[in-house]
Amino acid sequence: MNALANDVDLSASNTFGLPSRASFFARIDAAAGLGESLALWRQNTELAALPWRILGGGSNLVLPRRIEALVLKVEIPGREILSSGDDGVFVRGGGGETWHDFVQWTLAQALSGLENLSLIPGTVGASPIQNIGAYGVEVMDLIHQVRAVDLRSGEPRVFPREACQFSYRDSIFKHQWADRLMITEVIFRLPKSFRPNIGYGDITRQLETSGVTKPSPLDIAAAVMAIRRSKLPDPAQIGNAGSFFKNPLVPAEFAAELKTRFPAVVTYPQADGLVKLAAGWLIEQAGWKGRRLGPAGMFERQALCLVNHGGAAAEDIIAVRDAVANDVLAKFGVRLEAEPVHW
Ligand code: EPU
């Protein structure tokens, strides 16, 4: 049975380091017994009346000072190679595993596929929710199946990759299943043989700098870690949630028109005809790189990262979010959408 706690401090459980307290909180460290706990909590009228929220690594969240909810923190462990055949190597990760440690474990097993996703904060269970991605790879490329428990019924649910409705930083888990599902494990299908993905400019340059011509998965992981450490703020030192805004997708005609007014605008044409714009570039050009508003602001080395310089609360993050989005809209006519979830 999972123990319930009252009035729990979550300031150390969110990478922004925002002050936040939850009225009810429980750690879930195994899928076994979860159904029983859920049934018991549903019978409790006070708990049943509250929203139930799932907490992973807390790296994609803006937490308010007070959360009137039952917060369930997923700490389910598990790392296992299930099978290996011509169609790939199937690997299981527990929902509560730290993402980066899990990736490094797969590399230590001489497996490949996840190396470009090294050092992304968060957990294995959270990885499909926003379809984490970096340096030319998205986790949807490697996911075989997502296993979860429906919080309302306590029943297990299995989502094959095709049922997850993955797209850029998005999935079904952010929509009709939001706050209704605990992802207990993810089954990955990794390639049988290594296919390096080094097309992303930063990786090519980093490998050249280190003199690597035929990179192994570990070389790519090392390159990715070096790039991330040089550009992105370390949450242990400065509170942040990675990229704060999504790179906006706009129609090709709009992007072409923008390019006539701003020839240096960074664009990535997509397979579906839309064009992705580099939000970091837009934010920098709008004057926000390294700029602060009170205790929060945009990071000086990557304008897409909103950082807590110390002492910020949710309202300070939201003030910067709105100011940046307004300035980008006024200058470029582009609407930015925040990536982190706001409880
Ligand atoms: N740029 C600027 N100024 C900035 C930041 C970026 O001009 O301050 C320009 C860069 O020069 C480059 C372009 O914007 O031409 C893209 O920058 P970068 O390669 O740093 O990547 P990004 O688009 O800003 C995305 C992801 C990151 C991921 C990197 C690498 C999103 C929202 N972000 O950032 O993911 O690590 O690509 O693949 O898609 C995250 O989601 O939390 C995250 C860190």
Side-chain angles (χ1 to χ4, degrees):
M1 192 51 60
N2 297 286
L4 204 62
N6 288 88
D7 189 29
V8 171
D9 182 4
L10 296 184
S11 56
S13 302
N14 74 98
T15 59
F16 258 128
L18 304 176
S20 182
R21 297 191 83 85
S23 46
F24 293 95
F25 176 89
R27 291 178 198 284
I28 309 296
D29 58 10
L34 176 59
E36 273 172 59
S37 298
L38 294 174
L40 200 73
W41 295 332
R42 271 196 307 272
Q43 283 161 24
N44 175 321
T45 45
E46 192 179 4
L47 293 179
L50 291 174
W52 292 11
R53 306 249 189 237
I54 310 289
L55 180 63
S59 55
N60 199 43
L61 281 180
V62 178
L63 295 184
R65 290 175 186 272
R66 181 83 198 152
I67 304 166
E68 295 299 340
L70 168 57
V71 175
L72 304 174
K73 182 152 193 292
V74 188
E75 296 188 347
I76 301 170
R79 304 167 176 184
E80 190 187 353
I81 298 176
L82 298 174
S83 66
S84 177
D86 291 342
D87 54 348
V89 184
F90 292 82
V91 178
R92 185 175 70 85
E97 288 282 331
T98 297
W99 174 259
H100 175 71
D101 296 348
F102 178 74
V103 171
Q104 302 315 298
W105 172 80
T106 63
L107 297 173
Q109 309 308 305
L111 299 172
S112 62
L114 298 176
E115 55 279 0
N116 293 48
L117 305 180
S118 293
L119 221 54
I120 295 184
T123 57
V124 166
S127 68
I129 299 176
Q130 61 152 339
N131 181 22
I132 58 170
Y135 310 106
V137 175
E138 287 183 312
V139 78
M140 62 176 259
D141 305 334
L142 287 316
I143 284 180
H144 172 62
Q145 200 178 71
V146 174
R147 297 184 183 169
V149 168
D150 183 338
L151 297 182
R152 291 189 196 165
S153 66
E155 293 298 318
R157 300 278 314 207
V158 176
F159 295 82
R161 180 183 185 277
E162 315 73 64
C164 298
Q165 296 180 12
F166 286 124
S167 63
Y168 169 62
R169 293 295 190 276
D170 203 16
S171 74
I172 196 170
F173 309 114
K174 276 187 139 180
H175 301 281
Q176 59 259 54
W177 286 101
D179 293 325
R180 264 198 64 188
L181 214 57
M182 179 178 296
I183 296 177
T184 49
E185 54 186 32
V186 179
I187 312 295
F188 298 88
R189 175 172 155 178
L190 304 181
K192 192 88 181 112
S193 48
F194 174 44
R195 291 192 294 266
N197 199 323
I198 52 172
Y200 200 90
D202 278 353
I203 294 208
T204 320
R205 279 188 292 277
Q206 182 65 35
L207 289 170
E208 269 169 25
T209 310
S210 357
V212 178
T213 46
K214 218 171 160 294
S216 68
L218 284 169
D219 290 329
I220 296 178
V224 165
M225 289 191 258
I227 299 165
R228 291 189 76 99
R229 289 200 171 108
S230 71
K231 277 194 172 183
L232 299 171
D234 176 358
Q237 270 143 35
I238 181 162
N240 75 91
S243 297
F244 193 83
F245 296 100
K246 293 186 197 176
N247 284 326
L249 290 159
V250 298
E253 311 80 68
F254 180 87
E257 190 266 331
L258 204 60
K259 202 137 203 150
T260 61
R261 285 192 290 137
F262 302 96
V265 65
V266 182
T267 55
Y268 310 97
Q270 304 294 295
D272 59 6
L274 292 174
V275 174
K276 197 186 266 184
L277 303 176
W281 187 89
L282 300 173
I283 295 168
E284 180 172 351
Q285 299 305 310
W288 274 96
K289 193 172 192 169
R291 184 167 155 199
R292 295 173 64 142
L293 186 62
M298 304 312 287
F299 192 51
E300 70 264 16
R301 276 181 276 138
Q302 224 298 8
L304 195 47
C305 294
L306 203 162
V307 291
N308 172 6
H309 289 288
E315 59 271 21
D316 303 304
I317 305 297
I318 298 310
V320 174
R321 177 196 72 184
D322 292 347
V324 170
N326 283 339
D327 286 358
V328 166
L329 183 63
K331 190 172 169 84
F332 299 104
V334 176
R335 216 170 275 283
L336 291 181
E337 192 189 330
E339 213 188 72
V341 177
H342 189 189
W343 280 1

